[in-house]
Amino acid sequence: MVRLAKSLFGVAAAAAAAGEFGVVHAIELDVKDPSLTFLGKRAMNAVESPTSSHTEFLTESVKTAAGELANGLLHLYTNRPGNGVPDWKVGLFPTPYYWSFTFQTDDANEGLSGASWTAMIDYQAYTGDTTYQDDILTAIGHQVGPKHDFVVEEHPYIGEANDDQAFWVFTALSALEHDFPPLKCPGGTSGPNCPNSWLHLATNAFNTLAARYEKDKTTCGGGLRWQYDPAAPGYRYKNSVSNGGFFDIAARLARVTGNATYAGWAGKVYDWSVDVGLVDETGGTYDVYDGAGDEEGSECRELDRHLWSYNTGLYMHGAANMAAYMSGGGGGSNDGGGDGKGRGSGAGASTPDNTNKWTTRAEKLTKAALRNFVDPKSNIIYEKCEPSTCNDDQKSFKAYLARWMASSAVLVPSISEKVRPVLEASARAAAEGCSGVGSGKGAEKGNGTCSGDWRGGKGGVDENGGLGQRLSALEVVQGLFAEDADDTKLASGRKEKKGKGGKNKTVKRRTPRY
């Protein structure tokens, strides 16, 4: 049994209550095998010196844990340039870690790869560790596509869907929000004319998705289909991850740019999601269902009521961004609606009623996430398919809920007190469930393990490494830094700036251990 001081959240308050900064309430962390558990090993070796601040100890301890997980994640990435790897495959993690349920190849995956690079951008921004910056930029640079909108037509087998594309757009948005170093500009372009700027990539993709939405609105009164290729299975299905992804993209662009057009689209997509029943705002639960079909005149009347954590997380995060956009003024008169039904129409962009509308939605969607995907006894995040029926995609869903919970808590402070204990408990459990991932036994070969069910220690562990499990552990651990990262708080910063990839510069670049 070792003791790990109370995590980043509430440290100062706990210290003040104790009467001196050097003494805080401790949380017991039961590490069964410290030699195989990186966070346990770190905690065993850490000495709480009376001459050192507990804040520094905690920050470095969690940074070390995040660093081990980031390194462990990239153990599974093998498609770097060279050695016969074709350009279209650079940036893609190998199967079986594939996002789309329909298309799979023996070569590579699509959306889950984008999600992993977003996590690595957040990792650098939160910790200041630039070790993996070259990998990140090279990977994303190979996946922007000829139109600079993350549609890579060269993929010979992979059928990219709207949700896959959205998860690649999130890399550009996170890079934009965090002031991440830019991609190289093609053709001698530079500055605002660079088609590979983070803002251009995000807006190009937004325009592509908006055009598809207009094409798809001939059924169900609106909504994106899951697939944009008419020949692809799933083309006649309008799902929450595609529409929630588009909603989140529009909301984040509205917040970062102050452009009311994006806010209007965010309101339109959200309102459609409520009207068709994907978001149960009418019933008051704010549950987010998986999707509905539009084949043979069904007009999305039959809902697939499966609940997945990332669907709720997407709408929660989009609503939180809209709340931040409204409170920041937004630069226009459109309040983020536009259908004339009361939810999406009104006067000025920064009026209290409009701000409260989106804040209330973010709060209620957070409440739905806590009710449906957090164990009430342990405060640990879980997926409903756990511990034994999740496929490779579903094993990553907790990663996105944790990511968007942490970010939403920054954008809407009233959410923070509700998600803090969840992130803390889940981070501890996730860390305890990982062995030999970034260092120690098995790490050199990339065959460490992380638990798939944080409620049960090793329950659901993938003995072959598990990209989804590693990604989930990384996201929930580094989510503890979100409130301390200034570059996540862009409610008033509405332009792309030249930055260095995060404010914390205490971790120097080192040689990757993958």
Side-chain angles (χ1 to χ4, degrees):
M1 186 77 70
V2 298
R3 301 179 72 86
L4 181 64
K6 194 166 185 176
S7 73
L8 292 173
F9 296 124
V11 172
E20 56 179 325
F21 195 76
V23 179
V24 298
H25 299 293
I27 297 175
E28 291 190 346
L29 177 63
D30 186 4
V31 181
K32 296 180 181 179
D33 188 352
S35 67
L36 298 181
T37 306
F38 63 84
L39 186 55
K41 187 175 182 180
R42 169 64 178 174
M44 288 287 286
N45 294 335
V47 178
E48 299 184 35
S49 168
T51 61
S52 301
S53 84
H54 278 269
T55 300
E56 291 178 358
F57 163 73
L58 292 168
T59 299
E60 291 306 316
S61 178
V62 179
K63 275 186 181 180
T64 298
E68 298 286 358
L69 284 164
N71 190 71
L73 188 72
L74 288 201
H75 271 312
L76 303 179
Y77 176 59
T78 57
N79 288 328
R80 294 179 178 85
N83 299 319
V85 176
D87 284 348
W88 68 265
K89 196 187 292 187
V90 175
L92 302 182
F93 283 72
T95 53
Y97 312 117
Y98 194 75
W99 181 263
S100 170
F101 300 119
T102 305
F103 294 93
Q104 184 166 347
T105 89
D106 292 331
D107 292 318
N109 68 76
E110 182 79 57
L112 186 50
S113 300
S116 297
W117 295 118
T118 301
M120 294 304 298
I121 288 171
D122 289 345
Y123 168 75
Q124 178 168 325
Y126 291 156
T127 67
D129 183 358
T130 61
T131 301
Y132 310 104
Q133 180 174 298
D134 290 345
D135 265 340
I136 295 167
L137 293 173
T138 300
I140 298 173
H142 277 77
Q143 296 298 317
V144 299
K147 297 181 180 178
H148 305 278
D149 60 356
F150 294 105
V151 177
V152 183
E153 298 172 354
E154 295 96 319
H155 289 178
Y157 306 112
I158 297 173
E160 183 185 67
N162 283 312
D163 57 346
D164 298 312
Q165 184 180 2
F167 272 76
W168 278 99
V169 181
F170 297 156
T171 65
L173 286 167
S174 290
L176 177 61
E177 292 162 349
H178 287 313
D179 260 356
F180 202 78
L183 295 174
K184 293 181 180 179
C185 293
T189 58
S190 62
N193 296 319
C194 177
N196 274 352
S197 76
W198 301 122
L199 183 59
H200 269 112
L201 291 171
T203 55
N204 288 344
F206 168 86
N207 290 333
T208 298
L209 291 166
R212 290 184 197 144
Y213 189 101
E214 290 297 313
K215 178 182 176 181
D216 290 348
K217 72 179 183 181
T218 55
T219 61
C220 305
L224 276 172
R225 291 187 170 100
W226 175 24
Q227 305 284 342
Y228 58 80
D229 179 358
Y235 178 71
R236 302 309 299 267
Y237 189 62
K238 297 193 174 185
N239 59 356
S240 290
V241 65
S242 297
N243 288 281
F246 186 30
F247 166 56
D248 189 57
I249 291 167
R252 291 166 77 174
L253 282 171
R255 181 174 66 86
V256 172
T257 68
N259 189 325
T261 298
Y262 298 125
W265 269 99
K268 179 191 294 188
V269 177
Y270 184 90
D271 288 349
W272 175 83
S273 301
V274 171
D275 288 342
V276 81
L278 293 184
V279 178
D280 189 10
E281 187 174 292
T282 303
T285 66
Y286 283 78
D287 289 342
V288 181
Y289 304 119
D290 189 70
D294 71 345
E295 58 276 300
E296 299 179 0
S298 60
E299 290 296 313
C300 298
R301 285 186 288 268
E302 296 294 328
L303 295 176
D304 180 337
R305 294 181 179 270
H306 280 93
L307 299 176
W308 300 104
S309 63
Y310 73 149
N311 285 331
T312 303
L314 267 174
Y315 282 93
M316 172 183 65
H317 192 237
N321 273 272
M322 284 302 296
Y325 162 78
M326 306 304 284
S327 65
S333 62
N334 191 317
D335 80 333
D339 69 351
K341 296 182 180 179
R343 294 185 306 276
S345 59
S350 59
T351 63
D353 287 346
N354 292 331
T355 301
N356 290 341
K357 174 182 68 178
W358 286 107
T359 299
T360 298
R361 287 169 170 167
E363 291 170 344
K364 289 184 178 295
L365 285 159
T366 301
K367 184 176 180 180
L370 297 174
R371 182 180 68 250
N372 291 319
F373 306 108
V374 176
D375 181 82
K377 294 181 180 180
S378 63
N379 254 353
I380 292 173
I381 298 171
Y382 71 96
E383 200 67 46
K384 292 187 178 296
C385 56
E386 293 173 358
S388 59
T389 63
C390 298
N391 64 25
D392 289 313
D393 300 329
Q394 294 156 4
K395 291 173 185 176
S396 72
F397 287 179
K398 292 186 298 189
Y400 320 128
L401 179 61
R403 175 198 299 171
W404 293 322
M405 271 187 172
S407 179
S408 296
V410 175
L411 298 168
V412 180
S414 58
I415 293 174
S416 182
E417 64 182 17
K418 299 177 179 64
V419 305
R420 281 175 178 174
V422 171
L423 294 173
E424 289 178 351
S426 298
R428 290 194 301 272
E432 288 185 78
C434 289
S435 297
V437 173
S439 63
K441 183 178 179 180
E444 292 78 11
K445 297 181 180 179
N447 58 359
T449 60
C450 279
S451 171
D453 185 351
W454 298 336
R455 298 167 298 174
K458 294 293 181 180
V461 71
D462 182 343
E463 296 298 337
N464 293 318
L467 179 60
Q469 294 96 314
R470 295 185 187 200
L471 178 60
S472 295
L474 173 60
E475 287 284 18
V476 74
V477 168
Q478 69 185 18
L480 300 177
F481 285 114
E483 287 194 321
D484 283 352
D486 286 346
D487 43 22
T488 309
K489 305 174 183 179
L490 284 180
S492 60
R494 305 202 183 273
K495 58 184 179 179
E496 192 170 12
K497 300 170 291 184
K498 296 179 180 179
K500 300 298 182 183
K503 75 163 188 174
N504 298 318
K505 299 297 186 292
T506 59
V507 180
K508 295 182 179 180
R509 187 181 182 91
R510 51 188 170 77
T511 302
R513 287 171 286 141
Y514 49 68

